[in-house]
Amino acid sequence: MEVTHAVEFLLLVLLEKLSWSDTKVVLPDANVTCIIPEDCILPCSFKPTSTVVIHWYKQQIPVHSYYYNKDQFGLQNKHFSGRTCLFNSHIPHGNASLLLRRVKVQDRGRYKCYTSTRKHNQEMFVNLEVKGQCAAMVLAPVYLGLATFTASADCFYLFAPAQLWVVERAPIQTVTITMTDEWVTCSSQNVYPVPQISWATNPPSSQHAIENSTIRTTDHKGLFTVESMVRIVGNLTSYTYLCSFKSADKTQVWTASWKNQEDLTYEEGHPVLIPCNAPQMLRNFSLTWTFTSSSEPTLILRYDNRTRHTVNQWEGQAELDQDLVLLGDGSLLLKKPNSQDHSGTYTCTFTAVNTKRIFQTNVNITVAATSVDEQSMQRSWWSTAASAVFVLFTVIVALLQCVKQNAKENRTASHRHNGTGVIEGGLLLYMDLNPSAVRVRPHGAGAHEQESSLVTGPDHCDRTLEPSPEAEQEEEPAEPAEEANEEQRDRFECNEPV
């Protein structure tokens, strides 16, 4: 871009030199005094022909150009952007005067008007002086190092070594209001003289409770930056805070207010209405909604009631009621918010002539209850399934242990039966190596043991038990028990059950 401008400037200079004719007219300087911040005309005239080139400069700085029968702004210095124009309908009559709008202190200086026609070229210089609309009486000067200033009731003059700044009742352009956890701050910049500042709350509170602290600083032009603060009274949402800046001549009053509203909590998926109501009927206002989460504030929408035009960056997600907003109700409707994208701080700002109203609301969008129940049920199902698997595993392990234990006991019993006795029904049974033969011996405390041979094979079921010879030999020492043994033997011989 800079290269393009440089090329255009070189072409402009070349065009100016090529357009020179043998006749060059230089006119005497003209002196013009302009009033801040009114419009001012820098005079310039030439002998008209069919075509003309016009260039205005301020110490080689391009101010305005006209050629090819139209204005050219490609090389215009940004300081003059949007502030200059020619009287195009009068150019064919030889009028090349420049209209300079909203004259500033920085506009003072020497200007050159260059005109070129087919017959001759011309240069004319205009010395521009600026001053404020101030009273004639000026107080005695006060010296501050290298700079000197004097002041009257309405104006402030600062005489620096290189230039003169004339400050005349610089009006209040805007008032900015901010709020933290402890302080509410109102500020305004580039103001002269220092405005009167007052604070109030709604509902009202004592003036002692909202006593303000004000800081005033000046820049190199003598303009003031004013910052006033009051401490938060009670909870953040208890009051609306209002600050008022009144100019020294009482012709201008700027007000700003801040209200922290109660936090809102809603489930996601359900519509959410964030309230924002102007405290009074406003005319020619604009409404702005912004959203702040973890990053810088982002614009949601902007509405202008003069044109009834809305710029909505959250189209389909948020909207205003077009009928209610005309009455000062700028509440924002979130259609289907979710917890991830729409939880944060919402700021609503009404801006009108010399007034600003700000409402701030923290909104928390929670996960829907149905989703929580589904997650709970899913966790419960998994927990139940895990418990069932654990119980089943425990039962299987227990069964395996029982099977192993039974197998071990069976093996132990098998070893005991092989050549040893088992007591059953008062008889001691013996198994010898012949699986078809069982020895039976009565078992009792203090009784003599006597064995009988019993054939258990299928072909000897009705056989009478008879005492074996070995039993008789073993029972010989026990003669006193012989009668009892004979009784028992008789019972066996009569096939009586044991």
Side-chain angles (χ1 to χ4, degrees), residues 245-266:
F245 280 53
K246 182 183 293 185
S247 62
D249 58 1
K250 298 179 173 52
T251 60
Q252 190 182 24
V253 178
W254 254 92
T255 60
S257 69
W258 186 288
K259 170 63 176 176
N260 264 17
Q261 303 187 120
E262 295 289 341
D263 295 351
L264 299 178
T265 301
Y266 286 88

Side-chain angles (χ1 to χ4, degrees), residues 129-141:
E129 292 293 336
V130 297
K131 68 177 183 178
Q133 297 174 341
C134 304
M137 183 184 69
V138 177
L139 301 179

Side-chain angles (χ1 to χ4, degrees), residues 413-482:
S414 176
H415 287 299
R416 291 173 59 194
H417 294 165
N418 190 10
T420 60
V422 180
I423 301 173
E424 291 186 7
L427 296 178
L428 184 61
L429 306 180
Y430 284 89
M431 297 181 61
D432 57 14
L433 296 177
N434 188 353
S436 62
V438 178
R439 297 178 185 178
V440 181
R441 182 174 61 185
H443 182 72
H448 293 282
E449 295 180 356
Q450 184 171 350
E451 293 181 355
S452 298
S453 179
L454 176 63
V455 181
T456 60
D459 298 332
H460 305 85
C461 292
D462 298 330
R463 233 174 190 183
T464 304
L465 295 177
E466 296 179 358
S468 64
E470 293 83 347
E472 291 179 357
Q473 293 178 3
E474 291 176 358
E475 293 173 359
E476 286 179 357
E479 294 179 355
E482 184 177 357

Side-chain angles (χ1 to χ4, degrees), residues 36-335:
I36 301 174
E38 296 179 356
D39 296 346
C40 183
I41 297 177
L42 307 183
C44 182
S45 60
F46 64 98
K47 292 181 179 181
T49 60
S50 57
T51 58
V52 64
V53 174
I54 303 173
H55 298 298
W56 277 93
Y57 300 94
K58 180 190 177 186
Q59 299 173 352
Q60 305 304 320
I61 297 174
V63 176
H64 195 103
S65 296
Y66 177 92
Y67 51 89
Y68 299 143
N69 296 321
K70 64 179 181 178
D71 296 304
Q72 306 290 338
F73 299 101
L75 295 176
Q76 185 181 47
N77 186 274
K78 64 180 181 179
H79 174 73
F80 297 98
S81 178
R83 298 175 54 225
T84 63
C85 70
L86 302 177
F87 300 92
N88 292 16
S89 61
H90 296 171
I91 291 176
H93 304 291
N95 186 358
S97 299
L98 178 71
L99 175 63
L100 182 59
R101 295 189 177 95
R102 302 181 301 279
V103 172
K104 303 178 181 180
V105 174
Q106 297 90 331
D107 293 335
R108 65 188 299 269
R110 192 167 188 251
Y111 291 79
K112 180 176 75 170
C113 172
Y114 169 81
T115 58
S116 175
T117 65
R118 291 180 178 179
K119 293 184 178 180
H120 65 274
N121 301 328
Q122 175 182 294
E123 288 184 357
M124 179 178 177
F125 291 90
V126 178
N127 297 314
L128 174 62
E129 292 293 336
V130 297
K131 68 177 183 178
Q133 297 174 341
C134 304
M137 183 184 69
V138 177
L139 301 179
V142 178
Y143 297 93
L144 297 174
L146 297 178
T148 306
F149 79 91
T150 61
S152 68
D154 298 323
C155 297
F156 179 88
Y157 295 88
L158 177 64
F159 299 90
Q163 58 189 140
L164 166 67
W165 300 106
V166 183
V167 182
E168 180 235 349
R169 289 195 305 271
I172 303 171
Q173 301 295 328
T174 185
V175 172
T176 302
I177 185 169
T178 58
M179 188 176 191
T180 64
D181 292 340
E182 296 183 2
W183 298 92
V184 183
T185 304
C186 276
S187 62
S188 186
Q189 298 178 341
N190 300 326
V191 181
Y192 184 85
V194 177
Q196 299 176 5
I197 304 171
S198 60
W199 284 89
T201 61
N202 186 20
S205 57
S206 64
Q207 289 298 319
H208 176 73
I210 56 172
E211 184 176 352
N212 69 81
S213 173
T214 302
I215 301 174
R216 305 173 182 87
T217 58
T218 57
D219 60 11
H220 64 286
K221 301 177 185 178
L223 299 177
F224 286 95
T225 294
V226 183
E227 185 177 79
S228 182
M229 300 177 294
V230 295
R231 190 178 293 276
I232 298 294
V233 180
N235 297 326
L236 291 175
T237 58
S238 300
Y239 296 92
T240 299
Y241 295 84
L242 302 97
C243 67
S244 176
F245 280 53
K246 182 183 293 185
S247 62
D249 58 1
K250 298 179 173 52
T251 60
Q252 190 182 24
V253 178
W254 254 92
T255 60
S257 69
W258 186 288
K259 170 63 176 176
N260 264 17
Q261 303 187 120
E262 295 289 341
D263 295 351
L264 299 178
T265 301
Y266 286 88
E267 290 184 356
E268 64 180 4
H270 296 282
V272 176
L273 185 65
I274 308 174
C276 180
N277 295 283
Q280 59 185 1
M281 294 295 294
L282 297 178
R283 296 181 179 179
N284 299 329
F285 68 86
S286 63
L287 170 65
T288 303
W289 274 97
T290 59
F291 171 73
T292 306
S293 180
S294 58
S295 57
E296 293 295 324
T298 58
L299 176 67
I300 299 176
L301 60 81
R302 181 180 290 112
Y303 171 81
D304 190 334
N305 83 319
R306 291 170 294 184
T307 61
R308 299 190 182 183
H309 178 65
T310 303
V311 177
N312 192 346
Q313 302 291 342
W314 284 19
E315 190 70 37
Q317 302 180 53
E319 64 179 19
L320 299 174
D321 189 315
Q322 297 294 329
D323 295 329
L324 293 179
V325 73
L326 293 174
L327 302 176
D329 185 352
S331 300
L332 182 70
L333 176 64
L334 300 180
K335 294 182 178 180

